Amino acid sequence: MILCDCGNTNIKFYDFNILRTEEVSEKLNFPDEKFFYVNVNSSLDSIFEKNLNAINLSPYINIKTKYKGLGIDRQVLCNYLEDGIIVDAGSAITIDLMDKGEHKGGYILPGLTAYQKSFLTVSNKLQTKLKPTNIDIIPQNTDEALSCGVIKSIVLLIKSLGKKKIYLTGGDANILKEYFEDILVDKYLIFKAMREIIKEKYLGL
Amino acid sequence: MILCDCGNTNIKFYDFNILRTEEVSEKLNFPDEKFFYVNVNSSLDSIFEKNLNAINLSPYINIKTKYKGLGIDRQVLCNYLEDGIIVDAGSAITIDLMDKGEHKGGYILPGLTAYQKSFLTVSNKLQTKLKPTNIDIIPQNTDEALSCGVIKSIVLLIKSLGKKKIYLTGGDANILKEYFEDILVDKYLIFKAMREIIKEKYLGL
């Protein structure tokens, strides 16, 4: 069973243990067999729809929420757990709160790469590679001020949601993981969540 | 006495009650009389230095700090107060902690406009104008998720520095001011701070 998660920057194919990641472009290298997909990039919708092997998973997802406009990738992740905070640290950082099977709302911040790029639009003195840093001390130079400012502000926002288990995924999960105690880090979380939906809603198992 | 604060986006001239703001460019419209300036935009250093009316205030500023690379505008603001948290919400947001006359360090985050632009580099679905929002409730749509995510993460970072008085300045001061109780908001703070330095260090009054 091949699964496909198409984000804003990358498209990822997952076939049990094999993961293929490509940059998103108009020329997608689709599998030659049936595959299930979720896609947040609406400019690629028609390309997916034209491909006869591509099965859109979105009609099978229905989570309990009052939130309007929840991205399909966030819906898949939220569907996976009854209770907890789901953080997807990708092109953007999404933070969603699940409580007793209900999605209670969520936040969006820039992804770490987007933060880095945004500093460069302000001043070329603010060039830095954001990296893990001790957020308990107060920064003493520009690099620390940028890394600590960004990471601490993200961590504090996540922690403001209360003491629930954190489910962390996305390309920058490794940078954020060390600031939380009760945490599950899984870069394949979306695929596990997709497989649950396929089993329960598509196959009726 | 004309004062000039040259940032990354705007250059501001202040003559007691009159403030003139222009966008930063290579063709600066300098006053015809002596004026004092601070400039963080190193690409404009030589233009200031060539102008015989321009008096650089930076040699007169010397604050107690272990921080390396503190922008001259932040130094001026920090010099102004013995104790408190100075937040300059401009092109970038700088957050500096003063304690008993000593600068203890600080953070840098993107400015609100830089946050807005950074969301657009991620997805055109994330187009929004960041605006004041209730940060005590959890967002229920994309606009709220963006405004609340950004503002709450900034506010939490500032509040993590402890219960000191907040001195808030910069173009986005009006958006951030409502989240703090013990606060002084002053868009002319840098000019008041410059005048103190001129009186004490330049004129020896």
Side-chain angles (χ1 to χ4, degrees):
Chain A
M1 185 194 293
I2 298 179
L3 307 177
C4 167
D5 166 30
C6 186
N8 288 299
T9 310
N10 290 310
I11 178 166
K12 293 171 204 133
F13 292 95
Y14 186 71
D15 177 5
F16 295 89
N17 290 315
I18 299 154
L19 183 71
R20 168 163 71 84
T21 302
E22 304 180 8
E23 270 193 36
V24 161
S25 75
E26 297 279 306
K27 285 192 184 169
L28 294 177
N29 187 10
F30 283 127
D32 293 328
E33 55 186 294
K34 293 265 179 228
F35 67 95
F36 294 91
Y37 75 93
V38 290
N39 170 36
V40 299
N41 193 327
S42 52
S43 70
L44 300 175
D45 277 347
S46 65
I47 296 174
F48 274 98
E49 282 156 16
K50 271 184 225 150
N51 187 292
L52 297 177
N53 286 326
I55 303 165
N56 187 357
L57 213 52
S58 64
Y60 302 95
I61 305 161
N62 181 21
I63 69 160
K64 200 174 167 189
T65 186
K66 295 192 179 86
Y67 190 106
K68 305 283 182 221
L70 193 66
I72 193 70
D73 51 349
R74 291 166 74 188
Q75 291 185 47
V76 170
L77 289 168
C78 288
N79 185 79
Y80 189 65
L81 59 149
E82 278 284 304
D83 222 81
I85 297 160
I86 308 113
V87 179
D88 187 354
S91 310
I93 297 172
T94 56
I95 301 161
D96 286 289
L97 175 65
M98 288 296 290
D99 185 69
K100 300 190 189 86
E102 191 174 341
H103 175 252
K104 294 292 186 185
Y107 302 89
I108 307 173
L109 285 173
L112 293 187
T113 302
Y115 268 102
Q116 273 173 207
K117 286 183 185 163
S118 81
F119 285 126
L120 288 179
T121 68
V122 174
S123 166
N124 56 15
K125 285 182 194 158
L126 301 184
Q127 182 143 29
T128 194
K129 175 106 181 97
L130 297 175
K131 51 187 174 292
T133 177
N134 181 353
I135 63 172
D136 295 325
I137 57 162
I138 178 161
Q140 296 301 327
N141 58 60
T142 305
D143 273 357
E144 285 178 16
L146 296 166
S147 282
C148 193
V150 169
I151 291 172
K152 190 166 183 172
S153 63
I154 297 166
V155 169
L156 289 172
L157 181 64
I158 296 168
K159 288 191 171 172
S160 77
L161 285 169
K163 281 195 175 301
K164 282 185 186 285
K165 187 176 182 80
I166 313 279
Y167 294 79
L168 179 57
T169 190
D172 290 323
N174 281 340
I175 293 181
L176 293 181
K177 70 181 181 190
E178 63 183 82
Y179 303 99
F180 302 96
E181 279 166 22
D182 188 11
I183 189 166
L184 179 146
V185 183
D186 188 345
K187 66 177 178 172
Y188 301 124
L189 198 61
I190 184 110
F191 299 114
K192 288 183 184 165
M194 286 173 76
R195 202 147 52 181
E196 285 296 309
I197 292 162
I198 294 165
K199 272 193 340 198
E200 284 173 24
K201 306 278 176 63
Y202 184 80
L203 299 173
L205 296 177
Chain B
M1 184 194 292
I2 298 178
L3 306 177
C4 167
D5 166 30
C6 187
N8 287 299
T9 310
N10 291 310
I11 178 166
K12 293 172 204 132
F13 292 95
Y14 186 71
D15 176 6
F16 296 89
N17 290 316
I18 299 154
L19 183 71
R20 167 164 69 87
T21 302
E22 306 179 8
E23 270 194 37
V24 161
S25 74
E26 297 279 305
K27 284 191 182 170
L28 294 178
N29 187 9
F30 284 126
D32 292 330
E33 56 186 291
K34 294 265 180 230
F35 68 96
F36 295 90
Y37 75 93
V38 289
N39 170 35
V40 299
N41 194 327
S42 53
S43 70
L44 301 174
D45 277 347
S46 65
I47 296 174
F48 274 99
E49 281 156 17
K50 271 183 224 150
N51 187 292
L52 296 177
N53 285 327
I55 303 165
N56 187 356
L57 212 53
S58 64
Y60 303 96
I61 305 160
N62 181 20
I63 69 160
K64 200 174 168 190
T65 185
K66 294 191 179 86
Y67 190 106
K68 305 284 181 222
L70 194 66
I72 193 71
D73 51 349
R74 291 167 74 188
Q75 291 184 48
V76 170
L77 289 168
C78 288
N79 186 79
Y80 189 64
L81 59 150
E82 277 284 303
D83 222 81
I85 297 161
I86 309 114
V87 179
D88 188 353
S91 310
I93 298 172
T94 55
I95 302 161
D96 286 289
L97 176 65
M98 288 297 290
D99 185 69
K100 301 188 187 85
E102 190 174 342
H103 175 251
K104 294 292 187 185
Y107 302 89
I108 308 173
L109 285 174
L112 293 188
T113 303
Y115 268 103
Q116 273 172 206
K117 286 182 185 163
S118 80
F119 285 125
L120 287 180
T121 67
V122 174
S123 166
N124 56 16
K125 285 182 193 156
L126 301 184
Q127 181 143 28
T128 195
K129 175 105 180 97
L130 297 175
K131 50 187 174 293
T133 177
N134 181 354
I135 62 172
D136 295 325
I137 56 163
I138 178 160
Q140 297 300 328
N141 58 59
T142 306
D143 274 357
E144 285 178 17
L146 295 166
S147 282
C148 193
V150 168
I151 291 172
K152 190 165 183 172
S153 63
I154 296 166
V155 169
L156 289 172
L157 181 63
I158 296 168
K159 289 192 171 173
S160 77
L161 284 169
K163 283 196 174 299
K164 282 186 184 285
K165 189 178 180 80
I166 311 279
Y167 294 79
L168 179 58
T169 190
D172 290 323
N174 281 339
I175 293 181
L176 293 181
K177 70 180 180 191
E178 62 183 82
Y179 303 100
F180 303 96
E181 280 166 21
D182 189 12
I183 189 165
L184 180 146
V185 183
D186 188 345
K187 65 178 179 171
Y188 301 124
L189 198 62
I190 184 108
F191 299 114
K192 289 183 183 162
M194 286 173 75
R195 201 146 53 180
E196 285 296 307
I197 291 162
I198 294 164
K199 273 192 344 199
E200 284 173 23
K201 305 279 175 62
Y202 184 80
L203 299 172
L205 295 177

mmCIF file of all heavy atoms in Angstrom, chain B residues 91-128:
data_model
loop_
_atom_site.group_PDB
_atom_site.id
_atom_site.type_symbol
_atom_site.label_atom_id
_atom_site.label_comp_id
_atom_site.label_asym_id
_atom_site.label_seq_id
_atom_site.Cartn_x
_atom_site.Cartn_y
_atom_site.Cartn_z
ATOM 1 N N SER B 91 10.701 46.481 12.212
ATOM 2 C CA SER B 91 10.966 45.497 11.150
ATOM 3 C C SER B 91 11.275 44.138 11.771
ATOM 4 O O SER B 91 10.839 43.098 11.284
ATOM 5 C CB SER B 91 12.169 45.919 10.312
ATOM 6 O OG SER B 91 12.046 47.235 9.886
ATOM 7 N N ALA B 92 12.057 44.156 12.834
ATOM 8 C CA ALA B 92 12.223 42.980 13.696
ATOM 9 C C ALA B 92 11.646 43.359 15.055
ATOM 10 O O ALA B 92 11.429 44.535 15.338
ATOM 11 C CB ALA B 92 13.686 42.610 13.834
ATOM 12 N N ILE B 93 11.400 42.379 15.885
ATOM 13 C CA ILE B 93 10.997 42.657 17.268
ATOM 14 C C ILE B 93 12.183 42.314 18.159
ATOM 15 O O ILE B 93 12.624 41.158 18.186
ATOM 16 C CB ILE B 93 9.758 41.834 17.676
ATOM 17 C CG1 ILE B 93 8.569 42.211 16.797
ATOM 18 C CG2 ILE B 93 9.424 42.066 19.152
ATOM 19 C CD1 ILE B 93 7.352 41.325 16.987
ATOM 20 N N THR B 94 12.725 43.321 18.832
ATOM 21 C CA THR B 94 13.809 43.052 19.780
ATOM 22 C C THR B 94 13.252 43.175 21.187
ATOM 23 O O THR B 94 12.407 44.029 21.464
ATOM 24 C CB THR B 94 14.991 44.022 19.584
ATOM 25 O OG1 THR B 94 14.506 45.361 19.679
ATOM 26 C CG2 THR B 94 15.646 43.822 18.234
ATOM 27 N N ILE B 95 13.735 42.305 22.053
ATOM 28 C CA ILE B 95 13.253 42.242 23.440
ATOM 29 C C ILE B 95 14.497 42.235 24.319
ATOM 30 O O ILE B 95 15.312 41.305 24.228
ATOM 31 C CB ILE B 95 12.441 40.945 23.664
ATOM 32 C CG1 ILE B 95 11.257 40.869 22.696
ATOM 33 C CG2 ILE B 95 11.973 40.836 25.114
ATOM 34 C CD1 ILE B 95 10.691 39.463 22.516
ATOM 35 N N ASP B 96 14.706 43.285 25.118
ATOM 36 C CA ASP B 96 15.916 43.379 25.929
ATOM 37 C C ASP B 96 15.581 43.537 27.392
ATOM 38 O O ASP B 96 14.627 44.231 27.749
ATOM 39 C CB ASP B 96 16.785 44.548 25.435
ATOM 40 C CG ASP B 96 17.475 44.212 24.132
ATOM 41 O OD1 ASP B 96 18.395 43.373 24.162
ATOM 42 O OD2 ASP B 96 17.069 44.746 23.079
ATOM 43 N N LEU B 97 16.389 42.904 28.218
ATOM 44 C CA LEU B 97 16.149 42.917 29.661
ATOM 45 C C LEU B 97 17.192 43.779 30.365
ATOM 46 O O LEU B 97 18.402 43.518 30.245
ATOM 47 C CB LEU B 97 16.222 41.478 30.201
ATOM 48 C CG LEU B 97 16.097 41.313 31.723
ATOM 49 C CD1 LEU B 97 14.712 41.752 32.214
ATOM 50 C CD2 LEU B 97 16.363 39.867 32.132
ATOM 51 N N MET B 98 16.725 44.804 31.059
ATOM 52 C CA MET B 98 17.605 45.635 31.888
ATOM 53 C C MET B 98 17.319 45.336 33.358
ATOM 54 O O MET B 98 16.157 45.269 33.768
ATOM 55 C CB MET B 98 17.354 47.129 31.618
ATOM 56 C CG MET B 98 17.868 47.616 30.283
ATOM 57 S SD MET B 98 19.663 47.494 30.100
ATOM 58 C CE MET B 98 20.214 48.765 31.255
ATOM 59 N N ASP B 99 18.381 45.155 34.119
ATOM 60 C CA ASP B 99 18.228 44.838 35.539
ATOM 61 C C ASP B 99 19.288 45.606 36.320
ATOM 62 O O ASP B 99 20.480 45.400 36.105
ATOM 63 C CB ASP B 99 18.385 43.318 35.714
ATOM 64 C CG ASP B 99 18.127 42.874 37.138
ATOM 65 O OD1 ASP B 99 16.964 42.940 37.568
ATOM 66 O OD2 ASP B 99 19.097 42.495 37.815
ATOM 67 N N LYS B 100 18.877 46.504 37.163
ATOM 68 C CA LYS B 100 19.781 47.326 37.993
ATOM 69 C C LYS B 100 20.885 47.969 37.152
ATOM 70 O O LYS B 100 22.072 47.879 37.471
ATOM 71 C CB LYS B 100 20.382 46.503 39.125
ATOM 72 C CG LYS B 100 19.330 45.891 40.063
ATOM 73 C CD LYS B 100 20.014 45.256 41.282
ATOM 74 C CE LYS B 100 19.028 44.499 42.133
ATOM 75 N NZ LYS B 100 18.795 43.110 41.690
ATOM 76 N N GLY B 101 20.482 48.581 36.044
ATOM 77 C CA GLY B 101 21.435 49.318 35.214
ATOM 78 C C GLY B 101 22.293 48.466 34.303
ATOM 79 O O GLY B 101 23.151 48.985 33.574
ATOM 80 N N GLU B 102 22.057 47.159 34.319
ATOM 81 C CA GLU B 102 22.858 46.264 33.472
ATOM 82 C C GLU B 102 21.966 45.569 32.445
ATOM 83 O O GLU B 102 20.878 45.084 32.791
ATOM 84 C CB GLU B 102 23.548 45.223 34.363
ATOM 85 C CG GLU B 102 24.588 44.414 33.608
ATOM 86 C CD GLU B 102 25.383 43.482 34.520
ATOM 87 O OE1 GLU B 102 25.394 43.687 35.758
ATOM 88 O OE2 GLU B 102 25.979 42.536 33.988
ATOM 89 N N HIS B 103 22.433 45.511 31.199
ATOM 90 C CA HIS B 103 21.725 44.781 30.148
ATOM 91 C C HIS B 103 22.041 43.297 30.305
ATOM 92 O O HIS B 103 23.191 42.883 30.258
ATOM 93 C CB HIS B 103 22.196 45.285 28.770
ATOM 94 C CG HIS B 103 21.618 44.524 27.625
ATOM 95 N ND1 HIS B 103 22.373 43.655 26.849
ATOM 96 C CD2 HIS B 103 20.368 44.471 27.119
ATOM 97 C CE1 HIS B 103 21.599 43.131 25.918
ATOM 98 N NE2 HIS B 103 20.388 43.614 26.049
ATOM 99 N N LYS B 104 20.988 42.475 30.496
ATOM 100 C CA LYS B 104 21.193 41.046 30.809
ATOM 101 C C LYS B 104 21.121 40.155 29.575
ATOM 102 O O LYS B 104 21.343 38.946 29.676
ATOM 103 C CB LYS B 104 20.125 40.592 31.822
ATOM 104 C CG LYS B 104 20.262 41.248 33.184
ATOM 105 C CD LYS B 104 21.532 40.761 33.865
ATOM 106 C CE LYS B 104 21.632 41.253 35.294
ATOM 107 N NZ LYS B 104 22.935 40.873 35.894
ATOM 108 N N GLY B 105 20.756 40.729 28.417
ATOM 109 C CA GLY B 105 20.625 39.934 27.192
ATOM 110 C C GLY B 105 19.306 40.226 26.509
ATOM 111 O O GLY B 105 18.543 41.081 26.975
ATOM 112 N N GLY B 106 19.076 39.543 25.407
ATOM 113 C CA GLY B 106 17.838 39.834 24.685
ATOM 114 C C GLY B 106 17.555 38.855 23.559
ATOM 115 O O GLY B 106 18.378 37.992 23.227
ATOM 116 N N TYR B 107 16.382 39.002 22.990
ATOM 117 C CA TYR B 107 15.872 38.121 21.942
ATOM 118 C C TYR B 107 15.560 38.924 20.680
ATOM 119 O O TYR B 107 15.296 40.126 20.754
ATOM 120 C CB TYR B 107 14.568 37.454 22.394
ATOM 121 C CG TYR B 107 14.698 36.657 23.664
ATOM 122 C CD1 TYR B 107 14.504 37.250 24.910
ATOM 123 C CD2 TYR B 107 15.013 35.303 23.627
ATOM 124 C CE1 TYR B 107 14.615 36.516 26.074
ATOM 125 C CE2 TYR B 107 15.129 34.557 24.789
ATOM 126 C CZ TYR B 107 14.926 35.174 26.011
ATOM 127 O OH TYR B 107 15.038 34.446 27.160
ATOM 128 N N ILE B 108 15.549 38.226 19.555
ATOM 129 C CA ILE B 108 15.098 38.835 18.295
ATOM 130 C C ILE B 108 14.064 37.911 17.643
ATOM 131 O O ILE B 108 14.303 36.702 17.514
ATOM 132 C CB ILE B 108 16.269 39.054 17.310
ATOM 133 C CG1 ILE B 108 17.415 39.822 17.970
ATOM 134 C CG2 ILE B 108 15.783 39.790 16.054
ATOM 135 C CD1 ILE B 108 18.680 39.919 17.110
ATOM 136 N N LEU B 109 12.955 38.491 17.258
ATOM 137 C CA LEU B 109 11.932 37.773 16.489
ATOM 138 C C LEU B 109 11.650 38.577 15.218
ATOM 139 O O LEU B 109 11.988 39.769 15.146
ATOM 140 C CB LEU B 109 10.639 37.652 17.309
ATOM 141 C CG LEU B 109 10.623 36.628 18.438
ATOM 142 C CD1 LEU B 109 9.338 36.733 19.239
ATOM 143 C CD2 LEU B 109 10.766 35.210 17.883
ATOM 144 N N PRO B 110 11.018 37.980 14.214
ATOM 145 C CA PRO B 110 10.604 38.788 13.053
ATOM 146 C C PRO B 110 9.623 39.872 13.496
ATOM 147 O O PRO B 110 8.894 39.678 14.475
ATOM 148 C CB PRO B 110 9.886 37.767 12.156
ATOM 149 C CG PRO B 110 10.345 36.422 12.626
ATOM 150 C CD PRO B 110 10.621 36.564 14.095
ATOM 151 N N GLY B 111 9.573 40.981 12.789
ATOM 152 C CA GLY B 111 8.504 41.961 13.003
ATOM 153 C C GLY B 111 7.183 41.409 12.482
ATOM 154 O O GLY B 111 7.172 40.439 11.717
ATOM 155 N N LEU B 112 6.073 42.042 12.861
ATOM 156 C CA LEU B 112 4.768 41.494 12.441
ATOM 157 C C LEU B 112 4.645 41.440 10.921
ATOM 158 O O LEU B 112 4.112 40.463 10.365
ATOM 159 C CB LEU B 112 3.620 42.312 13.049
ATOM 160 C CG LEU B 112 3.478 42.214 14.584
ATOM 161 C CD1 LEU B 112 2.193 42.915 15.029
ATOM 162 C CD2 LEU B 112 3.484 40.776 15.076
ATOM 163 N N THR B 113 5.140 42.463 10.228
ATOM 164 C CA THR B 113 5.088 42.441 8.761
ATOM 165 C C THR B 113 5.941 41.301 8.200
ATOM 166 O O THR B 113 5.554 40.639 7.230
ATOM 167 C CB THR B 113 5.567 43.792 8.202
ATOM 168 O OG1 THR B 113 4.750 44.818 8.752
ATOM 169 C CG2 THR B 113 5.481 43.838 6.693
ATOM 170 N N ALA B 114 7.081 41.055 8.828
ATOM 171 C CA ALA B 114 7.945 39.948 8.376
ATOM 172 C C ALA B 114 7.270 38.599 8.613
ATOM 173 O O ALA B 114 7.381 37.687 7.777
ATOM 174 C CB ALA B 114 9.294 40.007 9.087
ATOM 175 N N TYR B 115 6.564 38.457 9.732
ATOM 176 C CA TYR B 115 5.783 37.229 9.956
ATOM 177 C C TYR B 115 4.761 37.053 8.830
ATOM 178 O O TYR B 115 4.632 35.980 8.254
ATOM 179 C CB TYR B 115 5.009 37.310 11.277
ATOM 180 C CG TYR B 115 5.691 36.751 12.510
ATOM 181 C CD1 TYR B 115 6.270 37.596 13.446
ATOM 182 C CD2 TYR B 115 5.718 35.389 12.761
ATOM 183 C CE1 TYR B 115 6.871 37.103 14.608
ATOM 184 C CE2 TYR B 115 6.305 34.878 13.917
ATOM 185 C CZ TYR B 115 6.881 35.744 14.836
ATOM 186 O OH TYR B 115 7.471 35.247 15.969
ATOM 187 N N GLN B 116 4.003 38.132 8.550
ATOM 188 C CA GLN B 116 2.971 38.052 7.510
ATOM 189 C C GLN B 116 3.554 37.597 6.180
ATOM 190 O O GLN B 116 3.023 36.722 5.511
ATOM 191 C CB GLN B 116 2.334 39.425 7.300
ATOM 192 C CG GLN B 116 1.195 39.690 8.236
ATOM 193 C CD GLN B 116 0.676 41.116 8.162
ATOM 194 O OE1 GLN B 116 0.134 41.599 9.116
ATOM 195 N NE2 GLN B 116 0.862 41.790 7.052
ATOM 196 N N LYS B 117 4.684 38.243 5.812
ATOM 197 C CA LYS B 117 5.313 37.881 4.528
ATOM 198 C C LYS B 117 5.801 36.437 4.564
ATOM 199 O O LYS B 117 5.773 35.740 3.548
ATOM 200 C CB LYS B 117 6.488 38.817 4.245
ATOM 201 C CG LYS B 117 6.061 40.222 3.830
ATOM 202 C CD LYS B 117 7.288 41.060 3.511
ATOM 203 C CE LYS B 117 6.916 42.499 3.206
ATOM 204 N NZ LYS B 117 8.102 43.385 3.287
ATOM 205 N N SER B 118 6.295 35.984 5.702
ATOM 206 C CA SER B 118 6.856 34.635 5.763
ATOM 207 C C SER B 118 5.761 33.592 5.567
ATOM 208 O O SER B 118 6.005 32.539 4.977
ATOM 209 C CB SER B 118 7.618 34.399 7.057
ATOM 210 O OG SER B 118 6.737 34.121 8.104
ATOM 211 N N PHE B 119 4.539 33.864 6.050
ATOM 212 C CA PHE B 119 3.449 32.915 5.815
ATOM 213 C C PHE B 119 3.174 32.760 4.321
ATOM 214 O O PHE B 119 2.868 31.670 3.848
ATOM 215 C CB PHE B 119 2.175 33.381 6.527
ATOM 216 C CG PHE B 119 2.207 33.162 8.017
ATOM 217 C CD1 PHE B 119 1.980 34.200 8.905
ATOM 218 C CD2 PHE B 119 2.466 31.902 8.539
ATOM 219 C CE1 PHE B 119 2.006 33.989 10.278
ATOM 220 C CE2 PHE B 119 2.491 31.680 9.914
ATOM 221 C CZ PHE B 119 2.261 32.729 10.779
ATOM 222 N N LEU B 120 3.301 33.861 3.586
ATOM 223 C CA LEU B 120 3.040 33.788 2.145
ATOM 224 C C LEU B 120 4.091 32.989 1.400
ATOM 225 O O LEU B 120 3.820 32.457 0.327
ATOM 226 C CB LEU B 120 2.933 35.200 1.562
ATOM 227 C CG LEU B 120 1.653 35.925 1.942
ATOM 228 C CD1 LEU B 120 1.630 37.313 1.335
ATOM 229 C CD2 LEU B 120 0.430 35.122 1.498
ATOM 230 N N THR B 121 5.312 32.898 1.960
ATOM 231 C CA THR B 121 6.339 32.055 1.315
ATOM 232 C C THR B 121 5.999 30.576 1.506
ATOM 233 O O THR B 121 6.531 29.723 0.809
ATOM 234 C CB THR B 121 7.754 32.315 1.869
ATOM 235 O OG1 THR B 121 7.815 31.876 3.245
ATOM 236 C CG2 THR B 121 8.133 33.783 1.796
ATOM 237 N N VAL B 122 5.143 30.267 2.486
ATOM 238 C CA VAL B 122 4.766 28.872 2.759
ATOM 239 C C VAL B 122 3.575 28.461 1.895
ATOM 240 O O VAL B 122 3.608 27.425 1.241
ATOM 241 C CB VAL B 122 4.421 28.691 4.261
ATOM 242 C CG1 VAL B 122 3.899 27.287 4.528
ATOM 243 C CG2 VAL B 122 5.633 28.998 5.130
ATOM 244 N N SER B 123 2.518 29.282 1.902
ATOM 245 C CA SER B 123 1.312 28.936 1.135
ATOM 246 C C SER B 123 0.461 30.185 0.943
ATOM 247 O O SER B 123 0.323 30.995 1.862
ATOM 248 C CB SER B 123 0.502 27.882 1.901
ATOM 249 O OG SER B 123 -0.802 27.778 1.363
ATOM 250 N N ASN B 124 -0.137 30.312 -0.245
ATOM 251 C CA ASN B 124 -1.008 31.477 -0.459
ATOM 252 C C ASN B 124 -2.314 31.375 0.321
ATOM 253 O O ASN B 124 -3.080 32.326 0.382
ATOM 254 C CB ASN B 124 -1.253 31.725 -1.961
ATOM 255 C CG ASN B 124 -1.820 30.508 -2.644
ATOM 256 O OD1 ASN B 124 -2.296 29.593 -1.969
ATOM 257 N ND2 ASN B 124 -1.775 30.479 -3.966
ATOM 258 N N LYS B 125 -2.561 30.215 0.946
ATOM 259 C CA LYS B 125 -3.723 30.096 1.839
ATOM 260 C C LYS B 125 -3.482 30.830 3.156
ATOM 261 O O LYS B 125 -4.406 31.031 3.933
ATOM 262 C CB LYS B 125 -4.003 28.625 2.154
ATOM 263 C CG LYS B 125 -4.636 27.857 1.026
ATOM 264 C CD LYS B 125 -4.915 26.420 1.465
ATOM 265 C CE LYS B 125 -5.239 25.542 0.278
ATOM 266 N NZ LYS B 125 -4.966 24.133 0.534
ATOM 267 N N LEU B 126 -2.237 31.162 3.428
ATOM 268 C CA LEU B 126 -1.902 31.777 4.719
ATOM 269 C C LEU B 126 -1.787 33.302 4.624
ATOM 270 O O LEU B 126 -1.023 33.936 5.335
ATOM 271 C CB LEU B 126 -0.611 31.168 5.282
ATOM 272 C CG LEU B 126 -0.649 29.645 5.505
ATOM 273 C CD1 LEU B 126 0.638 29.148 6.146
ATOM 274 C CD2 LEU B 126 -1.841 29.238 6.375
ATOM 275 N N GLN B 127 -2.547 33.876 3.696
ATOM 276 C CA GLN B 127 -2.577 35.331 3.555
ATOM 277 C C GLN B 127 -3.438 35.921 4.661
ATOM 278 O O GLN B 127 -4.599 35.545 4.837
ATOM 279 C CB GLN B 127 -3.177 35.688 2.190
ATOM 280 C CG GLN B 127 -3.222 37.177 1.930
ATOM 281 C CD GLN B 127 -2.920 37.489 0.474
ATOM 282 O OE1 GLN B 127 -3.174 36.669 -0.401
ATOM 283 N NE2 GLN B 127 -2.375 38.634 0.197
ATOM 284 N N THR B 128 -2.877 36.837 5.434
ATOM 285 C CA THR B 128 -3.641 37.440 6.522
ATOM 286 C C THR B 128 -3.018 38.757 6.922
ATOM 287 O O THR B 128 -1.850 39.022 6.619
ATOM 288 C CB THR B 128 -3.685 36.496 7.749
ATOM 289 O OG1 THR B 128 -4.706 36.947 8.639
ATOM 290 C CG2 THR B 128 -2.370 36.462 8.503
#
